[in-house]
Amino acid sequence: MDKRYTFTDFIQLIERLRGEGGCPWDRAQTHSSLKPCMTEEAAELLAAIRIYEKTGNAENMREELGDVLLQAVMHSVIAQEEGLFTMDDVIAEVSEKMIRRHPHVFGSALAEDPGAALNNWEAIKKEEKDGKSWIPSPLQEIPQELPALARAVKVIKKADRLYGLKDGEDTLWQRLEHAFSQLRPAGESGERVQAQERMGDMLWLLCELAYRCGLLPEQILADRIADEIDFFEAETE
């Protein structure tokens, strides 16, 4: 690589792709049309981290981080064209937020352990979001766009912190066993609806049990899928 491109170079490159005489595909993109791209690139970055953890090879992770950065810059350039904000505004805001949410580093507050630091972060975050008109409630602010299992655990965690979970683990297991006992093969329409409801109960209860045990159901299922793929492929050899 003869030239070492800077962050400024990269922004100018995206501006050229979006500008007059640029790439027709890039010029046609909007915030909405790029949503699937961000989802895909974030997933590919997670896959690259997994590959790095298994192999020690960081080449793929470097590439995928670039693709995620591309999405962030593309959205910022589009926003600048719309007169909303610039990449400089994005960088300034996130920098101010990191300083504001780490008073134990940039201020006089003390945080002797990770738990205390996290509590500081959450308290300051709550202060920042209080009164924001686009946040309907503490639970509804958790993005619907998250994978369902990951979102469920976030909802459960926040509900536990705000309101306290009512059922103990024994009760949860009993409810799970009951939901399973009510599950029937999905034949006709009414049976399919009932099966869907029971499966919804079971998935929610499993997420709540996972939270109580400090486990991440999204990762558990991802690991299990990988194991099953290995099993299916081994069977065909």
Side-chain angles (χ1 to χ4, degrees), residues 61-183:
M61 184 165 61
R62 181 183 64 217
E63 177 185 351
E64 298 303 340
L65 278 167
D67 289 342
V68 171
L69 177 62
L70 167 61
Q71 294 301 310
V73 172
M74 182 74 83
H75 280 286
S76 295
V77 169
I78 294 172
Q80 181 173 331
E81 295 167 358
E82 296 170 340
L84 301 175
F85 54 80
T86 68
M87 178 54 79
D88 285 344
D89 295 328
V90 172
I91 293 171
E93 182 165 335
V94 72
S95 298
E96 290 167 2
K97 179 166 68 175
M98 294 305 289
I99 292 170
R100 188 169 60 248
R101 292 190 185 179
H102 290 86
H104 51 288
V105 176
F106 301 103
S108 57
L110 297 177
E112 298 179 356
D113 56 61
L118 181 59
N119 289 337
N120 281 343
W121 175 283
E122 292 292 347
I124 295 168
K125 181 179 177 180
K126 183 179 183 305
E127 288 180 10
E128 293 170 352
K129 294 185 179 297
D130 281 347
K132 297 284 179 72
S133 60
W134 63 86
I135 300 174
S137 76
L139 296 182
Q140 291 180 17
E141 73 172 336
I142 298 170
Q144 296 180 18
E145 290 77 10
L146 280 171
L149 293 177
R151 184 170 185 242
V153 173
K154 282 186 169 292
V155 169
I156 291 165
K157 180 180 180 181
K158 181 162 281 191
D160 188 20
R161 190 172 69 248
L162 293 174
Y163 314 116
L165 297 177
K166 297 178 181 178
D167 291 338
E169 287 188 34
D170 289 343
T171 302
L172 291 175
W173 280 113
Q174 291 170 7
R175 290 174 58 193
L176 181 60
E177 290 170 358
H178 176 73
F180 182 75
S181 70
Q182 298 296 308
L183 189 62

Side-chain angles (χ1 to χ4, degrees), residues 167-221:
D167 291 338
E169 287 188 34
D170 289 343
T171 302
L172 291 175
W173 280 113
Q174 291 170 7
R175 290 174 58 193
L176 181 60
E177 290 170 358
H178 176 73
F180 182 75
S181 70
Q182 298 296 308
L183 189 62
R184 296 290 182 271
E188 298 181 2
S189 177
E191 293 173 335
R192 287 198 296 273
V193 170
Q194 186 184 49
Q196 179 175 309
E197 290 175 352
R198 296 293 80 75
M199 287 185 182
D201 293 341
M202 291 165 62
L203 286 169
W204 176 264
L205 290 165
L206 285 170
C207 286
E208 189 165 341
L209 284 164
Y211 165 72
R212 299 291 187 95
C213 297
L215 303 174
L216 299 175
E218 190 74 35
Q219 188 61 53
I220 291 170
L221 183 57

Side-chain angles (χ1 to χ4, degrees), residues 228-237:
E228 292 296 331
I229 289 172
D230 290 342
F231 172 76
F232 289 135
E233 291 179 342
E235 287 284 293
T236 61
E237 291 179 356

